[in-house]
Amino acid sequence: MPQSAYGSCTCGCNYVQCCMANSCNCTQRPLAPHIGFPNFVQQFRKLALQATICIEQCAQTKHRGVSLCCIRSGSDQGEPLAHRAKHYTSRSLHRTCIALLKSSGCWLFRVASRLIDTVYQTAYGPFDGNSWERLCQLVFKRKFTVDGYLHIPATPGDYGLEGFTKTTGCGYQCYCPEKAYSTRELYEKQRNKITSDLNKLQSNQADLLKILGSTKLRRWHLVTPTIAHNDLIKHAQTKEGEVRGWNLSILDADFQILVHDADHYATEIQEIQQAVGRALDFGGLPAVLPVLTDSAEVYEKNVMRKTRARLAHVSADKLEAKVNRLYASTLREFLDHGLHLKRINDTAPTVHSRLARLINGYEADIGETCVTWEGTPQELTEKIRVGLTERIVKDLAPAIDETGASQIARLIVARWIAVCEVDYD
């Protein structure tokens, strides 16, 4: 494991060099000229928990990341790494933050990238580009069967058209934003989508003629979850006249451009979601976890206090050893929860959003459970963990199986212990 450089860093200043950074990131704090620095370390003594806090905070803002500066805390095996976290602005979307914790003489290595929103929240649930297109295709096939709807697979390209109806000459193209943009940004992306896909009709006319056969397109629809601004309608009208002027053989003389939001297909969307066993989302629960705002020391103290409460029944001669093990285990799980959720978000963003919504809903229930509980703290902890596991399996299977649900529940309960959602007082 690389150690921090003491004294002058690579840029020549007398500051601490961050051993994890690709380039010099200084603490902006001068060091004493000798190794050890007990006073300096004491001033900066924070756990790697701060990295988790910063990652959580930066998850809400795409352009911010976290850089972690570390200082070896001394020779005590039980001392945590002293460090400070520093925000930076970066164009990189995948900057990584490394968190370290020393426990029982072992270095615990944690890597956690900031979360980047990869789904778009709608009244019908979270979607990304792929899941929105899949839903739209199911909707079109259901709604326009009698009109002879045909899906155009995007191989080698969609030609600006993802499907059309043989008998009525209506074409459909789907677009879902990558994340929640400002109104202006979303309008610009939707506007550009209309422009670029209509241009494909012109550049791919020969191929489209073979696909459409005798059908001429009378209508071209952009189907998107939300219409950002009425300027999008104006743009569609402007492009309509322009495209008619191309005199393409695949277009009808009264060719029109229409923009539809999800509400145009509300009945079909809800029928499809119910048919596959997915509950309707009536809103009220956020699809992201609350931001961590307290200092690292607060979470460290919470975990230690509750660790002792959970082990209050242990005899004095075994207590400290068990406290140390359970405390270290709970801290590791707290540190791991952000990275684990990020992996889920990267692999299956819609599942991640449903999971976050489920966790927030379950969290709202446990407050009353903690208040009315009459058993031991450890029994309460187990009840909450088992209950969360069962709810994840019930609501998110087969996307998450029982083993995966159990792991998530352990990590989330550790988070709740640290932030005092689970309390024993």
Short mmCIF file of all heavy atoms in Angstrom, two decimals, residues 291-314:
data_model
loop_
_atom_site.label_atom_id
_atom_site.label_comp_id
_atom_site.label_asym_id
_atom_site.label_seq_id
_atom_site.Cartn_x
_atom_site.Cartn_y
_atom_site.Cartn_z
N VAL A 291 -28.93 12.80 1.40
CA VAL A 291 -27.51 13.16 1.45
C VAL A 291 -27.01 13.11 2.89
O VAL A 291 -27.70 13.51 3.82
CB VAL A 291 -27.30 14.58 0.87
CG1 VAL A 291 -25.86 14.99 0.96
CG2 VAL A 291 -27.78 14.62 -0.57
N LEU A 292 -25.79 12.59 3.07
CA LEU A 292 -25.16 12.60 4.39
C LEU A 292 -24.54 13.96 4.63
O LEU A 292 -23.73 14.43 3.84
CB LEU A 292 -24.08 11.51 4.47
CG LEU A 292 -24.57 10.08 4.25
CD1 LEU A 292 -23.41 9.11 4.31
CD2 LEU A 292 -25.65 9.71 5.26
N THR A 293 -24.89 14.61 5.72
CA THR A 293 -24.45 15.99 5.96
C THR A 293 -23.64 16.17 7.23
O THR A 293 -23.01 17.21 7.40
CB THR A 293 -25.67 16.93 6.02
OG1 THR A 293 -26.56 16.48 7.04
CG2 THR A 293 -26.41 16.94 4.68
N ASP A 294 -23.65 15.20 8.14
CA ASP A 294 -22.90 15.36 9.39
C ASP A 294 -21.42 15.09 9.17
O ASP A 294 -21.00 14.53 8.14
CB ASP A 294 -23.45 14.42 10.47
CG ASP A 294 -24.78 14.91 11.02
OD1 ASP A 294 -24.99 16.13 11.05
OD2 ASP A 294 -25.62 14.07 11.39
N SER A 295 -20.61 15.42 10.17
CA SER A 295 -19.17 15.19 10.08
C SER A 295 -18.86 13.72 10.30
O SER A 295 -19.67 12.96 10.83
CB SER A 295 -18.44 16.03 11.13
OG SER A 295 -18.76 15.56 12.43
N ALA A 296 -17.65 13.32 9.90
CA ALA A 296 -17.23 11.93 10.07
C ALA A 296 -17.25 11.51 11.53
O ALA A 296 -17.61 10.39 11.87
CB ALA A 296 -15.83 11.75 9.48
N GLU A 297 -16.84 12.43 12.42
CA GLU A 297 -16.78 12.09 13.84
C GLU A 297 -18.16 11.73 14.39
O GLU A 297 -18.28 10.87 15.26
CB GLU A 297 -16.19 13.25 14.64
CG GLU A 297 -14.69 13.47 14.44
CD GLU A 297 -14.37 14.26 13.18
OE1 GLU A 297 -15.32 14.58 12.42
OE2 GLU A 297 -13.19 14.55 12.95
N VAL A 298 -19.20 12.39 13.89
CA VAL A 298 -20.56 12.11 14.36
C VAL A 298 -20.93 10.67 14.04
O VAL A 298 -21.45 9.94 14.90
CB VAL A 298 -21.57 13.09 13.72
CG1 VAL A 298 -23.01 12.64 14.01
CG2 VAL A 298 -21.34 14.49 14.24
N TYR A 299 -20.66 10.24 12.82
CA TYR A 299 -21.00 8.88 12.43
C TYR A 299 -20.16 7.86 13.20
O TYR A 299 -20.66 6.80 13.59
CB TYR A 299 -20.82 8.71 10.92
CG TYR A 299 -21.70 9.63 10.12
CD1 TYR A 299 -21.17 10.53 9.21
CD2 TYR A 299 -23.08 9.61 10.30
CE1 TYR A 299 -21.99 11.38 8.48
CE2 TYR A 299 -23.91 10.46 9.58
CZ TYR A 299 -23.36 11.35 8.67
OH TYR A 299 -24.16 12.20 7.96
N GLU A 300 -18.88 8.19 13.41
CA GLU A 300 -18.00 7.30 14.17
C GLU A 300 -18.54 7.09 15.59
O GLU A 300 -18.62 5.96 16.09
CB GLU A 300 -16.59 7.87 14.21
CG GLU A 300 -15.61 7.00 14.98
CD GLU A 300 -14.25 7.67 15.12
OE1 GLU A 300 -14.15 8.88 14.84
OE2 GLU A 300 -13.30 6.98 15.51
N LYS A 301 -18.93 8.17 16.23
CA LYS A 301 -19.46 8.08 17.60
C LYS A 301 -20.78 7.32 17.63
O LYS A 301 -21.04 6.54 18.56
CB LYS A 301 -19.62 9.48 18.19
CG LYS A 301 -18.30 10.18 18.48
CD LYS A 301 -18.53 11.61 18.97
CE LYS A 301 -17.21 12.33 19.23
NZ LYS A 301 -17.42 13.74 19.64
N ASN A 302 -21.64 7.56 16.64
CA ASN A 302 -22.92 6.85 16.59
C ASN A 302 -22.71 5.34 16.49
O ASN A 302 -23.36 4.55 17.18
CB ASN A 302 -23.75 7.32 15.40
CG ASN A 302 -24.32 8.71 15.59
OD1 ASN A 302 -24.41 9.21 16.71
ND2 ASN A 302 -24.70 9.35 14.51
N VAL A 303 -21.79 4.94 15.62
CA VAL A 303 -21.53 3.51 15.44
C VAL A 303 -20.98 2.91 16.73
O VAL A 303 -21.40 1.81 17.14
CB VAL A 303 -20.56 3.28 14.27
CG1 VAL A 303 -20.13 1.81 14.20
CG2 VAL A 303 -21.21 3.70 12.96
N MET A 304 -20.05 3.60 17.39
CA MET A 304 -19.47 3.07 18.63
C MET A 304 -20.53 2.97 19.73
O MET A 304 -20.62 1.95 20.44
CB MET A 304 -18.31 3.94 19.08
CG MET A 304 -17.68 3.51 20.42
SD MET A 304 -17.10 1.78 20.38
CE MET A 304 -15.60 1.95 19.41
N ARG A 305 -21.33 4.00 19.88
CA ARG A 305 -22.36 3.99 20.94
C ARG A 305 -23.35 2.85 20.73
O ARG A 305 -23.69 2.13 21.67
CB ARG A 305 -23.10 5.34 20.93
CG ARG A 305 -24.29 5.41 21.88
CD ARG A 305 -24.85 6.81 21.97
NE ARG A 305 -25.27 7.33 20.69
CZ ARG A 305 -26.46 7.09 20.14
NH1 ARG A 305 -27.34 6.30 20.78
NH2 ARG A 305 -26.79 7.62 18.97
N LYS A 306 -23.75 2.63 19.49
CA LYS A 306 -24.74 1.59 19.23
C LYS A 306 -24.11 0.20 19.24
O LYS A 306 -24.78 -0.79 19.55
CB LYS A 306 -25.44 1.88 17.91
CG LYS A 306 -26.28 3.14 18.00
CD LYS A 306 -26.83 3.55 16.66
CE LYS A 306 -27.41 4.95 16.77
NZ LYS A 306 -27.91 5.43 15.48
N THR A 307 -22.82 0.13 18.91
CA THR A 307 -22.12 -1.14 19.03
C THR A 307 -22.11 -1.61 20.48
O THR A 307 -22.38 -2.78 20.78
CB THR A 307 -20.67 -1.01 18.52
OG1 THR A 307 -20.70 -0.68 17.13
CG2 THR A 307 -19.90 -2.30 18.71
N ARG A 308 -21.83 -0.71 21.40
CA ARG A 308 -21.83 -1.06 22.82
C ARG A 308 -23.24 -1.42 23.30
O ARG A 308 -23.40 -2.33 24.13
CB ARG A 308 -21.24 0.08 23.65
CG ARG A 308 -19.75 0.29 23.40
CD ARG A 308 -19.13 1.24 24.41
NE ARG A 308 -17.69 1.33 24.22
CZ ARG A 308 -16.81 0.44 24.68
NH1 ARG A 308 -17.24 -0.60 25.38
NH2 ARG A 308 -15.52 0.60 24.46
N ALA A 309 -24.24 -0.72 22.78
CA ALA A 309 -25.61 -1.06 23.17
C ALA A 309 -26.00 -2.45 22.70
O ALA A 309 -26.65 -3.22 23.42
CB ALA A 309 -26.57 -0.02 22.60
N ARG A 310 -25.58 -2.82 21.49
CA ARG A 310 -25.90 -4.14 20.95
C ARG A 310 -25.19 -5.26 21.71
O ARG A 310 -25.66 -6.41 21.71
CB ARG A 310 -25.51 -4.20 19.46
CG ARG A 310 -26.34 -3.30 18.57
CD ARG A 310 -25.74 -3.16 17.19
NE ARG A 310 -25.75 -4.42 16.45
CZ ARG A 310 -25.17 -4.58 15.25
NH1 ARG A 310 -24.53 -3.55 14.69
NH2 ARG A 310 -25.22 -5.75 14.65
N LEU A 311 -24.06 -4.93 22.35
CA LEU A 311 -23.27 -5.94 23.07
C LEU A 311 -23.35 -5.76 24.58
O LEU A 311 -22.49 -6.26 25.31
CB LEU A 311 -21.81 -5.86 22.61
CG LEU A 311 -21.57 -6.19 21.13
CD1 LEU A 311 -20.12 -5.90 20.75
CD2 LEU A 311 -21.92 -7.65 20.83
N ALA A 312 -24.36 -5.08 25.05
CA ALA A 312 -24.47 -4.79 26.49
C ALA A 312 -24.56 -6.06 27.34
O ALA A 312 -24.20 -6.05 28.52
CB ALA A 312 -25.68 -3.90 26.75
N HIS A 313 -25.01 -7.15 26.77
CA HIS A 313 -25.18 -8.40 27.51
C HIS A 313 -23.89 -9.20 27.64
O HIS A 313 -23.83 -10.19 28.38
CB HIS A 313 -26.21 -9.28 26.79
CG HIS A 313 -25.78 -9.68 25.41
ND1 HIS A 313 -25.81 -8.80 24.35
CD2 HIS A 313 -25.28 -10.86 24.93
CE1 HIS A 313 -25.38 -9.41 23.25
NE2 HIS A 313 -25.04 -10.66 23.58
N VAL A 314 -22.84 -8.81 26.93
CA VAL A 314 -21.58 -9.56 26.91
C VAL A 314 -20.81 -9.33 28.21
O VAL A 314 -20.78 -8.21 28.74
CB VAL A 314 -20.73 -9.15 25.69
CG1 VAL A 314 -19.37 -9.85 25.70
CG2 VAL A 314 -21.48 -9.45 24.40
#
